[in-house]
Amino acid sequence: GTPGTQRARGRGDDRGWTVELAVPFDQLILARNRPPLRGDRWCWNVYRIDRGGEKGEFTCWSPVRRPSFHTPERFGFLVFEK
């Protein structure tokens, strides 16, 4: 399959995976507002690459539909609400 479009594999009872992320807003020198303000929108994508197994696994939140994850025009948006 194409990276970004494969489904997560695992044990038969697996239904997905979870990620927790900590962002040091004070170190994001290109951000307009630090911390972000309500309504700020960031072009955003999150990737998971698992090189285990025969083919490995490549998944992402916003599929880029290309063999490269470096396709920002295909990213989604993270919108801050609080």
Side-chain angles (χ1 to χ4, degrees):
T2 301
T5 61
Q6 295 180 2
R7 294 181 183 263
R9 294 183 307 267
R11 300 184 320 248
D13 60 343
D14 285 348
R15 296 188 184 268
W17 49 276
T18 301
V19 64
E20 184 175 323
L21 178 68
V23 178
F25 291 123
D26 62 333
Q27 295 180 24
L28 298 176
I29 61 173
L30 297 178
R32 175 174 281 168
N33 300 305
R34 293 178 283 162
L37 299 175
R38 182 183 176 111
D40 282 357
R41 290 173 26 131
W42 291 2
C43 186
W44 179 265
N45 213 350
V46 180
Y47 306 100
R48 178 178 183 264
I49 300 174
D50 182 354
R51 301 237 183 245
E54 190 174 311
K55 292 184 179 181
E57 179 183 337
F58 303 86
T59 53
C60 60
W61 172 69
S62 183
V64 293
R65 297 188 180 136
R66 292 188 183 172
S68 170
F69 285 129
H70 304 284
T71 313
E73 63 271 14
R74 299 287 309 163
F75 291 3
F77 288 96
L78 181 64
V79 180
F80 294 87
E81 293 295 325
K82 292 186 178 185

